[in-house]
Amino acid sequence: EAQVTQNPRYLITVTGKKLTVTCSQNMNHEYMSWYRQDPGLGLRQIYYSMNVEVTDKGDVPEGYKVSRKEKRNFPLILESPSPNQTSLYFCASSLEGSYNSPLHFGNGTRLTVT
Amino acid sequence: DAKTTQPPSMDCAEGRAANLPCNHSTISGNEYVYWYRQIHSQGPQYIIHGLKNNETNEMASLIITEDRKSSTLILPHATLRDTAVYYCIVRVKGSGGSNYKLTFGKGTLLTVNP
């Protein structure tokens, strides 16, 4: 089944403890992106990647890192998580980065930082 | 960014067609209109997208006005499982020059009643 898989689905951690949220897609998509969703703010883009080894900042990149060493994987790294990064995170991918290419989303990771 | 305007909520009877309107009066000539839905806190689910012609797939139909300033998503036979927040989105080219991102607004909460 074609899908975007995120792990874990739920994560509770403490301030300052490095964590990684994994994202993998099996559709051979070039473009991948991370979003966070917060009440009243909608979904906001954190980082995106047009293809392997090419990544760039989205609208809210502070406190996050990403890497794209291979096409299928796009992990989100929080080097020193803080409570304001408590949120619902979604990974998404599309065949290409263009106007005419639907984004497909994973099922989300709910992160709580205490 | 091309902004979209949707009613905050709508009701529909089970088995009837649900018609969800969207205004996007500032859309540019090469920007596509996308529709997604989100059930509870699951990942946004892609429904359909189009540029200027009407589109239909197994989930829904998309009617775009000739001037492209508005569109309507039609769910032909709504079921209880179609209860969700529906987002009308224009995929725009972000400030990075190559980032084709989705900007989610507040959407329309569609409630399908028995």
Side-chain angles (χ1 to χ4, degrees), chain B residues 4-71:
Chain B
T4 61
T5 305
Q6 300 177 253
S9 64
M10 293 182 64
D11 286 327
C12 177
E14 188 177 19
R16 304 297 294 269
N19 296 277
L20 291 89
C22 179
N23 288 321
H24 33 78
S25 58
T26 59
I27 193 170
S28 297
N30 52 1
E31 292 173 343
Y32 283 70
V33 178
Y34 286 78
W35 282 85
Y36 283 78
R37 70 181 183 184
Q38 189 173 25
I39 299 172
H40 297 301
S41 294
Q42 296 178 21
Q45 179 188 20
Y46 165 74
I47 301 173
I48 199 167
H49 75 292
L51 182 64
K52 54 185 176 182
N53 297 320
N54 297 339
E55 302 287 345
T56 296
N57 62 21
E58 65 277 5
M59 290 183 67
S61 295
L62 173 61
I63 309 297
I64 302 174
T65 57
E66 194 169 339
D67 62 8
R68 302 213 320 124
K69 292 185 177 181
S70 65
S71 60

Side-chain angles (χ1 to χ4, degrees), chain B residues 71-89:
Chain B
S71 60
T72 301
L73 179 74
I74 301 172
L75 307 178
H77 306 286
T79 71
L80 299 179
R81 289 189 296 179
D82 291 323
T83 292
V85 177
Y86 287 76
Y87 296 98
C88 168
I89 304 159

Side-chain angles (χ1 to χ4, degrees), chain A residues 31 35 37 40 42-43 45 48 50 58-59 88 90 94 96-107 110, chain B residues 30-32 34 36 38 41-44 46 49 87 91-93 96-106:
Chain A
Y31 180 96
Y35 286 77
Q37 186 174 29
L43 278 93
Q45 189 188 51
Y48 71 97
M50 290 293 287
D59 295 322
L88 180 57
F90 293 105
S94 62
E96 57 187 11
S98 73
Y99 293 117
N100 184 21
S101 188
L103 264 177
H104 299 275
F105 286 80
N107 279 329
R110 186 170 291 282
Chain B
N30 52 1
E31 292 173 343
Y32 283 70
Y34 286 78
Y36 283 78
Q38 189 173 25
S41 294
Q42 296 178 21
Y46 165 74
H49 75 292
Y87 296 98
R91 190 168 190 182
V92 300
K93 187 184 279 192
S98 60
N99 181 22
Y100 295 82
K101 64 179 181 178
L102 296 177
T103 300
F104 285 73
K106 295 185 177 177

